[in-house]
Amino acid sequence: MRSTNQYRLALTAVLTLFCATTANATSLYSSCTSEIVSDVEKFVCQLRTDDAKKMQNLKVEVSDAGQVHQFTATPYSWVTNQSAIYFIAQTSSINSEQLQRIYEFASRAASPVGKQKIGFATAGGSFEEKAPLGSSRLRLENVLREVRTMTPDENEASVILSSIEDAIEKLEGETAERRAVVIISDAEPSTSGFSASKVIDQAQEKNIALYFVSFGKNNERPSNVLTRLGQDSNGGAYDVSDLSKDKLLEFASRISSYLENGYVISVDATGLPQSSDVTISAEIDGNGTETAETVTIERQTEDSFLDTAQQFVSDHFYMVLAALGFGVGALLVLRSINARNRYSQLDDYEDTADHGDPNGEEDEDDFAGETRILGMQSGSQAKPLAWLELVGTDQQPAPLRAGNIQLGRSKDSDIRLTNSSVHRRHAMIQMDADGSFSIHDLGTKNGVFVNGDRCSQRTLNDGDLIELGEVKLRFVDEPA
Protein backbone atom coordinates (compact mmCIF):
# COMPACT_ATOMS: atom_id res chain seq x y z
CA MET A 1 0.00 0.00 0.00
CA ARG A 2 2.80 2.35 0.90
CA SER A 3 4.66 1.67 -2.34
CA THR A 4 1.44 2.30 -4.32
CA ASN A 5 0.98 5.72 -2.68
CA GLN A 6 4.61 6.61 -3.34
CA TYR A 7 4.16 5.64 -6.97
CA ARG A 8 1.08 7.85 -7.27
CA LEU A 9 2.87 10.80 -5.68
CA ALA A 10 5.81 10.40 -8.03
CA LEU A 11 3.52 10.13 -11.06
CA THR A 12 1.60 13.24 -9.96
CA ALA A 13 4.85 15.21 -9.61
CA VAL A 14 6.00 14.16 -13.10
CA LEU A 15 2.66 15.08 -14.68
CA THR A 16 2.64 18.45 -12.87
CA LEU A 17 6.14 19.25 -14.11
CA PHE A 18 5.19 18.19 -17.66
CA CYS A 19 2.06 20.35 -17.70
CA ALA A 20 3.92 23.37 -16.33
CA THR A 21 6.65 22.97 -18.97
CA THR A 22 4.09 22.64 -21.75
CA ALA A 23 2.23 25.72 -20.57
CA ASN A 24 5.40 27.85 -20.62
CA ALA A 25 6.63 26.64 -24.01
CA THR A 26 6.23 28.97 -26.96
CA SER A 27 6.06 27.87 -30.58
CA LEU A 28 7.02 30.11 -33.50
CA TYR A 29 5.01 29.64 -36.72
CA SER A 30 5.66 31.02 -40.19
CA SER A 31 3.86 30.72 -43.52
CA CYS A 32 5.12 32.29 -46.74
CA THR A 33 3.77 33.08 -50.19
CA SER A 34 5.14 34.67 -53.34
CA GLU A 35 3.53 37.96 -54.36
CA ILE A 36 4.20 40.27 -57.30
CA VAL A 37 3.86 43.98 -56.49
CA SER A 38 4.60 46.57 -59.19
CA ASP A 39 6.40 43.91 -61.28
CA VAL A 40 8.66 43.03 -58.33
CA GLU A 41 8.37 39.56 -56.82
CA LYS A 42 8.50 39.37 -53.05
CA PHE A 43 8.36 36.61 -50.48
CA VAL A 44 5.74 37.62 -47.90
CA CYS A 45 5.80 35.66 -44.65
CA GLN A 46 3.35 35.65 -41.74
CA LEU A 47 5.23 35.15 -38.44
CA ARG A 48 3.45 34.57 -35.12
CA THR A 49 3.70 32.76 -31.80
CA ASP A 50 1.07 30.43 -30.37
CA ASP A 51 0.68 32.50 -27.18
CA ALA A 52 1.00 36.07 -28.57
CA LYS A 53 4.31 36.73 -26.80
CA LYS A 54 6.38 39.62 -28.16
CA MET A 55 9.36 38.93 -30.40
CA GLN A 56 12.44 40.86 -31.54
CA ASN A 57 15.75 40.50 -33.41
CA LEU A 58 14.24 38.70 -36.39
CA LYS A 59 16.50 36.77 -38.77
CA VAL A 60 15.63 35.46 -42.22
CA GLU A 61 17.68 32.81 -44.04
CA VAL A 62 17.11 31.54 -47.59
CA SER A 63 18.60 28.35 -49.03
CA ASP A 64 21.72 28.93 -51.20
CA ALA A 65 21.59 32.62 -50.29
CA GLY A 66 22.34 32.64 -46.56
CA GLN A 67 21.09 35.32 -44.19
CA VAL A 68 18.95 38.06 -45.72
CA HIS A 69 19.88 41.50 -44.39
CA GLN A 70 17.42 43.59 -46.39
CA PHE A 71 13.83 42.80 -45.37
CA THR A 72 10.90 44.67 -43.89
CA ALA A 73 9.03 43.48 -40.80
CA THR A 74 5.68 45.16 -40.10
CA PRO A 75 3.78 44.33 -36.88
CA TYR A 76 0.54 42.40 -37.58
CA SER A 77 -2.57 44.23 -36.43
CA TRP A 78 -6.30 43.68 -36.84
CA VAL A 79 -6.51 47.43 -37.55
CA THR A 80 -4.57 47.19 -40.82
CA ASN A 81 -4.36 43.46 -41.65
CA GLN A 82 -7.14 41.17 -42.85
CA SER A 83 -8.00 38.03 -40.87
CA ALA A 84 -10.93 35.61 -41.13
CA ILE A 85 -12.18 33.55 -38.16
CA TYR A 86 -15.04 31.03 -38.36
CA PHE A 87 -16.68 29.87 -35.12
CA ILE A 88 -18.57 26.54 -34.76
CA ALA A 89 -20.50 25.81 -31.56
CA GLN A 90 -21.66 22.38 -30.42
CA THR A 91 -25.39 22.52 -29.58
CA SER A 92 -26.32 18.89 -28.90
CA SER A 93 -24.92 16.09 -26.75
CA ILE A 94 -24.30 18.73 -24.06
CA ASN A 95 -26.31 20.07 -21.12
CA SER A 96 -27.91 23.48 -20.50
CA GLU A 97 -25.06 24.65 -18.26
CA GLN A 98 -22.51 23.94 -21.01
CA LEU A 99 -24.66 25.75 -23.57
CA GLN A 100 -24.87 28.81 -21.32
CA ARG A 101 -21.08 28.85 -20.95
CA ILE A 102 -20.68 28.42 -24.72
CA TYR A 103 -22.94 31.45 -25.22
CA GLU A 104 -20.93 33.55 -22.73
CA PHE A 105 -17.67 32.70 -24.47
CA ALA A 106 -18.93 33.16 -28.04
CA SER A 107 -20.71 36.45 -27.32
CA ARG A 108 -17.33 37.96 -26.38
CA ALA A 109 -14.99 36.11 -28.78
CA ALA A 110 -17.14 36.23 -31.97
CA SER A 111 -17.33 40.01 -32.05
CA PRO A 112 -15.54 41.54 -35.07
CA VAL A 113 -13.04 44.39 -34.64
CA GLY A 114 -10.95 46.25 -37.20
CA LYS A 115 -10.65 44.32 -40.47
CA GLN A 116 -11.67 40.97 -38.98
CA LYS A 117 -14.20 38.83 -40.85
CA ILE A 118 -16.23 36.70 -38.45
CA GLY A 119 -18.61 33.83 -39.31
CA PHE A 120 -20.66 31.60 -37.01
CA ALA A 121 -22.30 28.16 -37.31
CA THR A 122 -23.83 25.55 -35.02
CA ALA A 123 -23.26 21.79 -35.11
CA GLY A 124 -25.99 19.82 -33.41
CA GLY A 125 -27.37 16.88 -35.33
CA SER A 126 -26.32 18.75 -38.50
CA PHE A 127 -24.13 21.69 -39.58
CA GLU A 128 -26.01 25.00 -39.86
CA GLU A 129 -24.41 28.29 -40.89
CA LYS A 130 -26.05 31.05 -38.88
CA ALA A 131 -23.93 34.05 -39.96
CA PRO A 132 -21.58 34.01 -43.01
CA LEU A 133 -18.06 35.38 -42.87
CA GLY A 134 -18.07 39.17 -42.77
CA SER A 135 -21.37 39.42 -40.87
CA SER A 136 -22.03 42.56 -38.86
CA ARG A 137 -21.74 42.67 -35.08
CA LEU A 138 -25.55 43.10 -34.81
CA ARG A 139 -26.25 39.97 -36.85
CA LEU A 140 -23.82 37.92 -34.81
CA GLU A 141 -25.39 39.17 -31.57
CA ASN A 142 -28.87 38.17 -32.78
CA VAL A 143 -27.64 34.70 -33.77
CA LEU A 144 -26.01 34.17 -30.39
CA ARG A 145 -29.21 35.15 -28.59
CA GLU A 146 -30.94 32.35 -30.52
CA VAL A 147 -28.25 29.90 -29.39
CA ARG A 148 -28.73 30.98 -25.79
CA THR A 149 -32.43 30.09 -25.86
CA MET A 150 -31.90 26.60 -27.36
CA THR A 151 -32.74 23.50 -25.38
CA PRO A 152 -29.85 21.12 -26.08
CA ASP A 153 -30.58 17.47 -26.73
CA GLU A 154 -28.14 15.58 -24.51
CA ASN A 155 -28.78 12.31 -26.35
CA GLU A 156 -28.44 13.49 -29.96
CA ALA A 157 -24.93 12.94 -31.34
CA SER A 158 -23.19 16.15 -32.41
CA VAL A 159 -21.46 16.53 -35.79
CA ILE A 160 -19.07 19.19 -34.45
CA LEU A 161 -15.86 17.46 -35.64
CA SER A 162 -17.13 16.52 -39.10
CA SER A 163 -18.32 20.14 -39.47
CA ILE A 164 -14.73 21.38 -39.43
CA GLU A 165 -14.39 20.46 -43.10
CA ASP A 166 -17.42 22.67 -43.88
CA ALA A 167 -15.80 25.55 -41.99
CA ILE A 168 -12.49 25.07 -43.83
CA GLU A 169 -14.38 25.18 -47.13
CA LYS A 170 -16.00 28.49 -46.08
CA LEU A 171 -12.57 29.97 -45.27
CA GLU A 172 -10.81 28.63 -48.36
CA GLY A 173 -12.22 31.28 -50.69
CA GLU A 174 -11.58 34.19 -48.31
CA THR A 175 -8.84 36.66 -49.17
CA ALA A 176 -7.23 37.07 -45.78
CA GLU A 177 -3.67 37.08 -44.48
CA ARG A 178 -4.53 34.78 -41.58
CA ARG A 179 -7.43 32.32 -41.20
CA ALA A 180 -8.67 30.11 -38.38
CA VAL A 181 -11.56 27.92 -37.21
CA VAL A 182 -12.53 28.15 -33.54
CA ILE A 183 -14.42 25.03 -32.39
CA ILE A 184 -16.43 25.43 -29.16
CA SER A 185 -17.34 21.98 -27.91
CA ASP A 186 -17.51 19.34 -25.25
CA ALA A 187 -14.15 17.90 -24.15
CA GLU A 188 -14.83 14.59 -25.92
CA PRO A 189 -17.13 15.15 -28.91
CA SER A 190 -18.17 12.21 -31.09
CA THR A 191 -15.55 11.04 -33.60
CA SER A 192 -17.95 8.83 -35.56
CA GLY A 193 -17.17 8.98 -39.29
CA PHE A 194 -14.44 11.55 -38.65
CA SER A 195 -10.86 11.36 -39.97
CA ALA A 196 -8.47 13.51 -37.94
CA SER A 197 -5.60 12.95 -40.41
CA LYS A 198 -7.72 14.14 -43.34
CA VAL A 199 -8.77 17.34 -41.53
CA ILE A 200 -5.19 18.06 -40.44
CA ASP A 201 -3.97 17.68 -44.03
CA GLN A 202 -6.69 20.06 -45.28
CA ALA A 203 -5.90 22.65 -42.61
CA GLN A 204 -2.15 22.50 -43.29
CA GLU A 205 -2.61 22.66 -47.07
CA LYS A 206 -4.87 25.71 -46.85
CA ASN A 207 -2.89 27.30 -43.98
CA ILE A 208 -5.86 27.40 -41.60
CA ALA A 209 -5.25 27.12 -37.85
CA LEU A 210 -7.69 25.14 -35.69
CA TYR A 211 -8.43 26.26 -32.11
CA PHE A 212 -10.49 24.10 -29.73
CA VAL A 213 -12.21 25.58 -26.68
CA SER A 214 -13.70 22.76 -24.60
CA PHE A 215 -16.32 22.88 -21.87
CA GLY A 216 -16.03 19.41 -20.37
CA LYS A 217 -18.39 17.72 -17.95
CA ASN A 218 -16.88 17.27 -14.48
CA ASN A 219 -13.72 19.15 -15.53
CA GLU A 220 -12.83 16.74 -18.35
CA ARG A 221 -9.71 17.76 -20.23
CA PRO A 222 -9.66 18.07 -24.06
CA SER A 223 -9.44 14.64 -25.69
CA ASN A 224 -6.31 13.46 -27.47
CA VAL A 225 -8.09 14.05 -30.79
CA LEU A 226 -8.73 17.73 -30.00
CA THR A 227 -5.18 18.26 -28.75
CA ARG A 228 -3.68 16.64 -31.85
CA LEU A 229 -5.87 18.64 -34.24
CA GLY A 230 -4.92 21.91 -32.55
CA GLN A 231 -1.18 21.22 -32.36
CA ASP A 232 -0.77 19.81 -35.90
CA SER A 233 -2.65 22.73 -37.48
CA ASN A 234 -0.55 25.36 -35.64
CA GLY A 235 -3.55 26.18 -33.45
CA GLY A 236 -4.28 24.88 -29.96
CA ALA A 237 -6.68 23.16 -27.55
CA TYR A 238 -7.83 24.93 -24.37
CA ASP A 239 -9.88 23.63 -21.45
CA VAL A 240 -12.04 26.36 -19.88
CA SER A 241 -14.33 24.12 -17.83
CA ASP A 242 -13.26 25.41 -14.43
CA LEU A 243 -12.81 29.11 -15.29
CA SER A 244 -14.97 31.66 -13.51
CA LYS A 245 -17.19 33.81 -15.72
CA ASP A 246 -14.79 36.76 -15.50
CA LYS A 247 -11.79 34.58 -16.40
CA LEU A 248 -13.74 32.97 -19.23
CA LEU A 249 -14.59 36.37 -20.74
CA GLU A 250 -10.98 37.47 -20.31
CA PHE A 251 -9.81 34.41 -22.26
CA ALA A 252 -12.48 35.02 -24.93
CA SER A 253 -11.17 38.58 -25.39
CA ARG A 254 -7.65 37.41 -26.15
CA ILE A 255 -8.12 34.19 -28.13
CA SER A 256 -7.96 36.02 -31.47
CA SER A 257 -4.54 37.40 -30.45
CA TYR A 258 -3.14 33.86 -30.73
CA LEU A 259 -3.71 34.22 -34.48
CA GLU A 260 -3.21 37.98 -34.82
CA ASN A 261 0.29 38.68 -33.45
CA GLY A 262 3.89 38.90 -34.65
CA TYR A 263 4.95 40.35 -38.01
CA VAL A 264 4.41 40.41 -41.74
CA ILE A 265 7.87 40.01 -43.31
CA SER A 266 8.64 41.00 -46.91
CA VAL A 267 11.80 39.94 -48.79
CA ASP A 268 12.75 40.97 -52.34
CA ALA A 269 12.94 37.68 -54.25
CA THR A 270 15.25 39.00 -56.98
CA GLY A 271 18.39 36.85 -57.10
CA LEU A 272 16.96 34.14 -54.84
CA PRO A 273 16.64 30.49 -55.97
CA GLN A 274 13.58 29.43 -57.99
CA SER A 275 12.69 27.02 -55.19
CA SER A 276 13.65 28.65 -51.92
CA ASP A 277 13.66 27.30 -48.38
CA VAL A 278 12.93 30.18 -46.00
CA THR A 279 13.77 29.87 -42.28
CA ILE A 280 12.87 32.60 -39.80
CA SER A 281 14.01 32.90 -36.18
CA ALA A 282 13.31 35.44 -33.45
CA GLU A 283 13.95 36.14 -29.79
CA ILE A 284 10.74 35.46 -27.87
CA ASP A 285 10.02 37.40 -24.70
CA GLY A 286 10.98 35.14 -21.80
CA ASN A 287 11.79 32.13 -23.98
CA GLY A 288 15.05 32.94 -25.78
CA THR A 289 15.55 32.35 -29.50
CA GLU A 290 13.01 30.22 -31.37
CA THR A 291 13.16 29.04 -34.99
CA ALA A 292 10.07 28.38 -37.10
CA GLU A 293 9.86 25.35 -39.37
CA THR A 294 11.42 25.91 -42.79
CA VAL A 295 8.93 26.90 -45.51
CA THR A 296 9.52 26.11 -49.21
CA ILE A 297 8.41 28.76 -51.73
CA GLU A 298 8.28 28.38 -55.51
CA ARG A 299 9.06 31.61 -57.35
CA GLN A 300 6.61 32.88 -59.99
CA THR A 301 9.21 34.69 -62.11
CA GLU A 302 12.77 34.16 -63.31
CA ASP A 303 15.52 36.75 -63.04
CA SER A 304 16.80 38.45 -66.19
CA PHE A 305 20.52 38.95 -66.72
CA LEU A 306 20.11 42.57 -65.59
CA ASP A 307 18.29 41.47 -62.43
CA THR A 308 21.05 38.98 -61.65
CA ALA A 309 23.74 41.62 -62.20
CA GLN A 310 21.91 44.14 -60.01
CA GLN A 311 21.45 41.56 -57.27
CA PHE A 312 25.14 40.64 -57.41
CA VAL A 313 26.09 44.28 -57.04
CA SER A 314 23.64 44.65 -54.15
CA ASP A 315 24.90 41.52 -52.36
CA HIS A 316 28.57 42.43 -52.91
CA PHE A 317 28.21 46.21 -52.80
CA TYR A 318 31.36 47.02 -50.87
CA MET A 319 33.51 44.59 -52.84
CA VAL A 320 32.26 46.04 -56.15
CA LEU A 321 32.70 49.58 -54.83
CA ALA A 322 36.23 48.80 -53.69
CA ALA A 323 37.07 47.27 -57.09
CA LEU A 324 35.72 50.32 -58.89
CA GLY A 325 37.60 52.58 -56.54
CA PHE A 326 40.81 50.67 -57.15
CA GLY A 327 40.34 50.79 -60.94
CA VAL A 328 39.46 54.45 -61.01
CA GLY A 329 42.29 55.24 -58.63
CA ALA A 330 44.79 53.45 -60.85
CA LEU A 331 43.53 55.35 -63.90
CA LEU A 332 43.78 58.67 -62.09
CA VAL A 333 47.32 57.87 -60.94
CA LEU A 334 48.36 57.27 -64.53
CA ARG A 335 46.75 60.46 -65.77
CA SER A 336 47.38 62.72 -62.82
CA ILE A 337 49.88 65.54 -63.06
CA ASN A 338 49.22 67.20 -59.76
CA ALA A 339 49.23 65.07 -56.57
CA ARG A 340 46.80 67.43 -54.81
CA ASN A 341 44.32 67.16 -57.68
CA ARG A 342 44.81 63.40 -57.74
CA TYR A 343 43.83 63.01 -54.07
CA SER A 344 40.94 65.42 -54.51
CA GLN A 345 39.63 63.37 -57.43
CA LEU A 346 40.09 60.12 -55.54
CA ASP A 347 37.87 61.53 -52.78
CA ASP A 348 35.01 61.68 -55.29
CA TYR A 349 35.18 57.89 -55.54
CA GLU A 350 34.46 56.73 -52.01
CA ASP A 351 35.51 53.18 -51.17
CA THR A 352 34.62 50.87 -48.36
CA ALA A 353 37.04 52.39 -45.85
CA ASP A 354 35.14 55.68 -45.73
CA HIS A 355 32.14 53.89 -44.21
CA GLY A 356 34.36 52.99 -41.27
CA ASP A 357 35.85 56.49 -40.84
CA PRO A 358 33.43 59.43 -40.76
CA ASN A 359 36.33 61.92 -40.95
CA GLY A 360 37.01 61.52 -44.67
CA GLU A 361 38.19 64.57 -46.61
CA GLU A 362 35.60 67.26 -47.29
CA ASP A 363 35.62 71.02 -47.86
CA GLU A 364 36.16 72.57 -44.43
CA ASP A 365 33.75 75.45 -45.02
CA ASP A 366 30.92 72.91 -45.31
CA PHE A 367 31.16 72.30 -41.55
CA ALA A 368 31.69 75.82 -40.27
CA GLY A 369 29.03 76.83 -37.71
CA GLU A 370 25.90 74.87 -36.81
CA THR A 371 24.80 71.53 -38.26
CA ARG A 372 22.51 71.94 -41.26
CA ILE A 373 20.05 69.60 -42.96
CA LEU A 374 19.93 70.07 -46.72
CA GLY A 375 17.22 68.24 -48.68
CA MET A 376 18.14 67.80 -52.33
CA GLN A 377 14.60 66.53 -53.06
CA SER A 378 13.12 69.93 -52.26
CA GLY A 379 12.74 70.83 -55.94
CA SER A 380 10.48 67.86 -56.67
CA GLN A 381 6.82 68.50 -57.47
CA ALA A 382 5.67 65.22 -55.84
CA LYS A 383 3.83 65.61 -52.56
CA PRO A 384 6.01 64.75 -49.51
CA LEU A 385 4.88 61.62 -47.66
CA ALA A 386 6.86 62.30 -44.46
CA TRP A 387 9.59 64.60 -43.13
CA LEU A 388 12.86 64.57 -41.19
CA GLU A 389 13.25 67.32 -38.59
CA LEU A 390 16.64 68.37 -37.20
CA VAL A 391 16.09 68.18 -33.43
CA GLY A 392 16.89 71.31 -31.45
CA THR A 393 16.79 73.73 -34.40
CA ASP A 394 14.15 75.72 -36.26
CA GLN A 395 15.47 74.65 -39.66
CA GLN A 396 12.95 73.57 -42.29
CA PRO A 397 12.33 69.80 -42.21
CA ALA A 398 13.57 67.73 -45.15
CA PRO A 399 10.73 66.15 -47.18
CA LEU A 400 10.64 62.39 -47.85
CA ARG A 401 9.12 61.03 -51.04
CA ALA A 402 8.88 57.61 -52.69
CA GLY A 403 12.12 55.86 -53.63
CA ASN A 404 15.49 55.36 -51.98
CA ILE A 405 16.78 58.41 -50.09
CA GLN A 406 20.46 58.53 -49.10
CA LEU A 407 21.52 60.40 -45.95
CA GLY A 408 25.10 61.46 -45.37
CA ARG A 409 27.78 64.13 -45.41
CA SER A 410 28.56 63.73 -49.10
CA LYS A 411 27.48 66.47 -51.50
CA ASP A 412 25.66 63.92 -53.65
CA SER A 413 23.45 62.71 -50.76
CA ASP A 414 19.70 63.17 -51.19
CA ILE A 415 19.58 64.61 -47.67
CA ARG A 416 22.91 66.13 -46.67
CA LEU A 417 23.92 66.59 -43.03
CA THR A 418 26.81 69.01 -42.47
CA ASN A 419 28.38 67.45 -39.40
CA SER A 420 31.76 65.72 -39.24
CA SER A 421 30.38 62.84 -37.12
CA VAL A 422 28.15 61.79 -40.02
CA HIS A 423 29.61 59.42 -42.61
CA ARG A 424 29.70 60.49 -46.24
CA ARG A 425 27.18 57.77 -47.04
CA HIS A 426 25.62 56.98 -43.68
CA ALA A 427 22.10 55.58 -44.12
CA MET A 428 19.34 54.90 -46.63
CA ILE A 429 15.63 55.60 -46.11
CA GLN A 430 13.25 53.77 -48.41
CA MET A 431 9.49 53.62 -48.83
CA ASP A 432 8.32 50.03 -48.64
CA ALA A 433 5.52 48.40 -50.66
CA ASP A 434 2.96 49.02 -47.87
CA GLY A 435 3.72 52.77 -47.86
CA SER A 436 5.77 52.73 -44.65
CA PHE A 437 9.33 54.06 -44.44
CA SER A 438 12.32 52.12 -43.15
CA ILE A 439 15.92 53.18 -42.43
CA HIS A 440 19.00 51.07 -43.26
CA ASP A 441 22.61 51.43 -42.01
CA LEU A 442 25.08 51.50 -44.93
CA GLY A 443 27.75 49.63 -42.96
CA THR A 444 29.01 52.57 -40.89
CA LYS A 445 31.29 52.67 -37.87
CA ASN A 446 29.16 55.20 -35.96
CA GLY A 447 25.98 53.27 -36.76
CA VAL A 448 22.29 54.13 -36.89
CA PHE A 449 20.25 54.44 -33.68
CA VAL A 450 16.44 54.56 -33.50
CA ASN A 451 14.95 55.52 -30.13
CA GLY A 452 18.30 54.70 -28.51
CA ASP A 453 18.71 51.22 -30.04
CA ARG A 454 21.37 50.51 -32.65
CA CYS A 455 19.92 48.74 -35.68
CA SER A 456 20.89 47.64 -39.17
CA GLN A 457 17.34 48.27 -40.42
CA ARG A 458 14.12 49.44 -38.77
CA THR A 459 10.60 50.38 -39.86
CA LEU A 460 9.97 54.02 -38.86
CA ASN A 461 6.93 55.27 -36.96
CA ASP A 462 5.75 58.82 -36.40
CA GLY A 463 7.90 60.52 -33.75
CA ASP A 464 10.84 58.08 -33.90
CA LEU A 465 14.20 59.64 -32.89
CA ILE A 466 17.03 58.83 -35.33
CA GLU A 467 20.71 59.39 -34.37
CA LEU A 468 23.45 59.50 -37.01
CA GLY A 469 26.65 60.29 -35.15
CA GLU A 470 25.99 63.50 -33.17
CA VAL A 471 23.02 64.46 -35.35
CA LYS A 472 19.51 63.81 -34.03
CA LEU A 473 16.58 63.67 -36.46
CA ARG A 474 12.86 63.23 -35.85
CA PHE A 475 10.74 61.18 -38.31
CA VAL A 476 7.28 62.75 -38.58
CA ASP A 477 4.18 62.21 -40.68
CA GLU A 478 3.40 65.93 -40.47
CA PRO A 479 5.96 68.65 -39.58
CA ALA A 480 5.34 70.74 -36.47
Side-chain angles (χ1 to χ4, degrees):
M1 183 70 177
R2 181 179 178 184
S3 60
T4 301
N5 289 336
Q6 289 176 337
Y7 171 77
R8 287 176 178 173
L9 288 173
L11 179 61
T12 301
V14 170
L15 289 175
T16 302
L17 178 61
F18 173 77
C19 292
T21 304
T22 303
N24 292 330
T26 296
S27 295
L28 186 66
Y29 301 130
S30 69
S31 60
C32 303
T33 59
S34 170
E35 298 181 7
I36 298 178
V37 181
S38 301
D39 296 328
V40 177
E41 184 173 7
K42 294 182 179 293
F43 291 162
V44 179
C45 299
Q46 304 289 333
L47 185 70
R48 65 181 177 89
T49 62
D50 62 353
D51 53 7
K53 284 189 176 180
K54 293 182 179 179
M55 61 183 79
Q56 59 184 350
N57 295 333
L58 311 182
K59 291 184 180 180
V60 180
E61 292 189 2
V62 180
S63 57
D64 300 330
Q67 186 171 331
V68 177
H69 296 281
Q70 300 295 327
F71 64 87
T72 60
T74 306
Y76 191 95
S77 168
W78 49 258
V79 177
T80 56
N81 299 100
Q82 183 79 70
S83 58
I85 307 175
Y86 201 89
F87 288 80
I88 315 176
Q90 180 177 344
T91 54
S92 66
S93 191
I94 58 174
N95 57 41
S96 298
E97 181 183 352
Q98 287 175 300
L99 185 63
Q100 173 64 25
R101 299 266 287 168
I102 286 173
Y103 163 75
E104 291 170 351
F105 172 83
S107 63
R108 177 66 63 87
S111 183
V113 292
K115 297 183 70 175
Q116 286 179 342
K117 288 184 177 181
I118 301 294
F120 187 86
T122 57
S126 61
F127 173 83
E128 293 185 47
E129 182 175 62
K130 300 292 186 179
L133 282 158
S135 293
S136 66
R137 185 190 299 265
L138 178 60
R139 178 164 184 176
L140 288 164
E141 289 175 352
N142 290 335
V143 165
L144 289 169
R145 289 193 190 98
E146 294 177 12
V147 172
R148 186 181 190 182
T149 58
M150 287 182 177
T151 301
D153 186 340
E154 297 186 39
N155 298 315
E156 182 182 28
S158 173
V159 297
I160 186 72
L161 292 184
S162 59
S163 298
I164 298 173
E165 294 184 59
D166 297 299
I168 290 175
E169 184 178 344
K170 301 284 185 183
L171 284 166
E172 183 179 2
E174 286 297 321
T175 302
E177 294 167 86
R178 299 187 184 180
R179 298 174 294 176
V181 181
V182 178
I183 300 94
I184 314 168
S185 73
D186 193 2
E188 294 190 2
S190 171
T191 58
S192 176
F194 171 73
S195 171
S197 298
K198 179 182 177 182
V199 170
I200 290 170
D201 289 342
Q202 290 178 333
Q204 290 177 341
E205 178 186 351
K206 304 179 191 311
N207 194 30
I208 295 174
L210 305 179
Y211 294 93
F212 291 85
V213 180
S214 69
F215 296 82
K217 301 183 185 76
N218 301 319
N219 293 332
E220 294 172 324
R221 301 305 177 191
S223 67
N224 291 336
V225 173
L226 300 189
T227 303
R228 179 191 169 199
L229 286 166
Q231 290 177 344
D232 290 354
S233 67
N234 295 343
Y238 308 93
D239 171 50
V240 296
S241 304
D242 55 356
L243 293 185
S244 66
K245 182 177 179 179
D246 288 343
K247 291 294 184 182
L248 178 64
L249 295 179
E250 181 182 333
F251 173 73
S253 297
R254 71 171 185 269
I255 189 169
S256 62
S257 69
Y258 297 154
L259 178 75
E260 298 172 321
N261 69 77
Y263 290 89
V264 180
I265 297 174
S266 179
V267 180
D268 189 343
T270 305
L272 297 181
Q274 289 300 120
S275 180
S276 298
D277 293 333
V278 179
T279 306
I280 305 176
S281 61
E283 289 183 14
I284 309 299
D285 188 17
N287 287 81
T289 299
E290 298 282 347
T291 301
E293 286 190 13
T294 298
V295 179
T296 301
I297 311 176
E298 298 294 333
R299 289 192 53 184
Q300 303 180 55
T301 62
E302 294 186 1
D303 295 331
S304 65
F305 174 79
L306 181 59
D307 290 332
T308 304
Q310 289 176 336
Q311 188 65 33
F312 178 84
V313 172
S314 176
D315 292 342
H316 304 86
F317 176 75
Y318 298 121
M319 183 178 72
V320 172
L321 195 61
L324 289 174
F326 178 81
V328 171
L331 180 62
L332 290 174
V333 167
L334 293 174
R335 294 185 176 183
S336 177
I337 299 174
N338 185 290
R340 182 179 180 84
N341 289 339
R342 180 173 71 246
Y343 293 128
S344 176
Q345 291 171 14
L346 280 171
D347 189 58
D348 291 335
Y349 296 89
E350 178 185 10
D351 61 7
T352 308
D354 188 58
H355 287 282
D357 179 12
N359 298 316
E361 294 184 20
E362 193 63 84
D363 296 337
E364 292 184 1
D365 60 345
D366 287 335
F367 308 107
E370 66 176 352
T371 299
R372 286 175 292 158
I373 180 171
L374 307 174
M376 295 179 63
Q377 290 191 326
S378 58
S380 173
Q381 297 301 313
K383 180 181 178 181
L385 303 174
W387 285 263
L388 285 181
E389 295 179 345
L390 186 60
V391 176
T393 73
D394 57 358
Q395 295 184 38
Q396 289 294 318
L400 301 178
R401 297 180 174 87
N404 294 331
I405 304 164
Q406 181 177 289
L407 284 70
R409 203 182 71 242
S410 172
K411 291 180 180 180
D412 60 2
S413 296
D414 298 307
I415 294 179
R416 190 178 180 211
L417 302 168
T418 60
N419 186 292
S420 59
S421 67
V422 176
H423 294 261
R424 285 168 52 80
R425 291 175 175 82
H426 201 121
M428 184 77 73
I429 289 181
Q430 66 180 31
M431 190 179 80
D432 301 320
D434 60 359
S436 64
F437 283 90
S438 58
I439 189 166
H440 305 260
D441 188 350
L442 295 180
T444 60
K445 177 181 178 181
N446 287 350
V448 173
F449 291 79
V450 177
N451 298 328
D453 296 327
R454 183 163 185 165
C455 56
S456 59
Q457 68 87 25
R458 178 75 63 86
T459 298
L460 296 174
N461 297 307
D462 184 42
D464 280 351
L465 180 65
I466 302 168
E467 296 179 69
L468 308 180
E470 299 173 354
V471 176
K472 296 183 178 181
L473 304 167
R474 182 82 64 189
F475 175 83
V476 293
D477 291 338
E478 293 288 344

